Amino acid sequence: MLLLEHMKSLTFGEILWDIIEGTEHIGGAPYNFAAHLAKLGAESYFISAVGEDDLGRRAIEYVGRHGIRPEYLSRVSDAPTGTVSVELEAGQPEYTIHEGVAWDKIRLSGDQLDAIRSVSWDIFYVGTLAQRSEMNRALVGELFSAVNARHRFYDINLRQHYYSQGIIELALKNATIVKLNHEESDLIGEMFRINGTGNDEEHAARISKLFDIETLIITRGKEGSLVLYENEFRRIPVVPVEVSDAVGAGDSFSAGFMFALTHGKNPFEAAELGGALGSFVASQRGAIPEYSDEIKQRFAALVKREG
């Protein structure tokens, strides 16, 4: 693990088990993000819920194993721990997300909310999927008011039918950094009537202007990413890799990007480092593999330079 004592990240969202070819893998986009930040050395806190079952017990073990802070992870007695069935086609995942699970019922006590309010966070992360329940949507709204964060990162990350214009609009209005992919760019453009060209740059510019977003990132798989920052677009390429499975690659990109950004890199430089981490993860099995020496050295250099 790399070392950074003072960087604090707060992530809200789902923790679940991906069932890939009959094998269980701990996951969920927010969990993967929190785990990679912890692996890089951040003080990574995670707001979620698991059931009082064996999968919940094992999930809590993984939280500890991955170095994630568990203060805001609860166990609920009225729902099972979340699971997702994943089918891989040429390494690309297709998901079946099961409903009525623990992470649909995330709770925070008054004392926990007070503790969150008392911290100056570097990063607050939220996605879309975990807001599918009314209970969670209400909590996210409360957190947007409560969390004092230098960066508010929204990974749009649309899954199946679990989204609405209202959910997306609230998050876009509260985010400083937004990440989406090419298909989501088209959908958001149509949803808010800001499309019309089919061009990623045009969509990015219009979305950014409409919601006053500081940095907007469109990920493009093997083509890298498109970053809009201070009215400048840059395409950030990635080194091609042989994909083993792409589960968690986008989440590791996000974590690498945010880690680099909070260590003094500009968004274009941060996207290059995030892309390197995402490509490495795509070349491995599982969403949170052990890092190569090259990946460790590239991110360790950020901490050494800052020190």
Side-chain angles (χ1 to χ4, degrees), residues 210-259:
L210 181 62
F211 294 103
D212 193 26
I213 297 163
E214 291 180 9
T215 302
L216 192 142
I217 306 158
I218 298 178
T219 55
R220 300 166 61 86
K222 64 183 181 181
E223 296 179 17
S225 59
L226 173 71
V227 179
L228 171 60
Y229 173 64
E230 293 187 341
N231 297 315
E232 181 182 355
F233 288 102
R234 290 192 195 175
R235 292 184 179 272
I236 312 298
V238 292
V239 176
V241 297
E242 183 175 345
V243 174
S244 177
D245 76 62
V247 177
D251 310 321
S252 60
F253 169 94
S254 299
F257 175 90
M258 291 307 302
F259 190 85

Side-chain angles (χ1 to χ4, degrees), residues 44-217:
S44 182
Y45 293 76
F46 186 46
I47 305 171
S48 193
V50 298
E52 291 184 347
D53 49 25
D54 183 61
L55 287 179
R57 177 190 61 78
R58 289 166 54 199
I60 290 172
E61 289 178 357
Y62 268 93
V63 167
R65 191 180 304 176
H66 286 142
I68 298 171
R69 299 292 295 263
E71 283 87 338
Y72 307 120
L73 178 66
S74 59
R75 301 194 74 172
V76 300
S77 59
D78 54 346
T81 299
T83 57
V84 173
S85 301
V86 183
E87 297 293 331
L88 296 177
E89 291 290 338
Q92 298 300 316
E94 293 290 334
Y95 304 90
T96 301
I97 304 166
H98 303 293
E99 299 185 25
V101 295
W103 58 260
D104 285 314
K105 302 182 177 185
I106 301 173
R107 302 176 175 95
L108 289 173
S109 68
D111 287 345
Q112 287 174 316
L113 280 169
D114 286 342
I116 287 170
R117 288 188 186 97
S118 70
V119 175
S120 292
W121 300 95
D122 292 289
I123 302 164
F124 176 48
Y125 169 110
V126 66
T128 303
L129 177 59
Q131 298 184 65
R132 70 181 181 179
S133 72
E134 184 177 349
M135 179 177 178
N136 284 6
R137 289 196 296 275
L139 181 54
V140 167
E142 199 167 2
L143 286 168
F144 278 137
S145 297
V147 176
N148 173 26
R150 178 181 170 194
H151 301 291
R152 294 186 175 201
F153 186 95
Y154 176 36
D155 187 350
I156 290 184
N157 200 27
L158 301 180
R159 291 287 181 258
Q160 294 177 203
H161 60 282
Y162 298 117
Y163 61 87
S164 69
Q165 182 170 337
I167 290 171
I168 294 169
E169 185 170 6
L170 178 65
L172 288 172
K173 285 180 176 178
N174 282 276
T176 60
I177 301 171
V178 173
K179 170 182 162 284
L180 66 168
N181 62 31
H182 173 73
E183 291 76 18
E184 290 163 347
S185 170
D186 287 344
L187 189 149
I188 299 302
E190 181 179 352
M191 181 179 288
F192 293 100
R193 299 179 182 178
I194 53 177
N195 59 325
T197 66
N199 178 281
D200 278 342
E201 285 90 341
E202 187 67 23
H203 282 182
R206 294 184 182 186
I207 293 167
S208 180
K209 182 177 181 180
L210 181 62
F211 294 103
D212 193 26
I213 297 163
E214 291 180 9
T215 302
L216 192 142
I217 306 158

Side-chain angles (χ1 to χ4, degrees), residues 32-33 36-37 39-40 238 241 248-259 270-284 287 289-292 295-296 298-299:
N32 295 337
F33 176 84
H36 278 287
L37 274 182
K39 196 174 182 68
L40 291 168
V238 292
V241 297
D251 310 321
S252 60
F253 169 94
S254 299
F257 175 90
M258 291 307 302
F259 190 85
E272 193 275 328
L273 282 162
L277 182 55
S279 291
F280 171 76
V281 170
S283 74
Q284 307 296 304
E290 287 301 311
Y291 293 164
S292 66
I295 290 293
K296 290 178 182 177
R298 292 191 71 176
F299 283 92

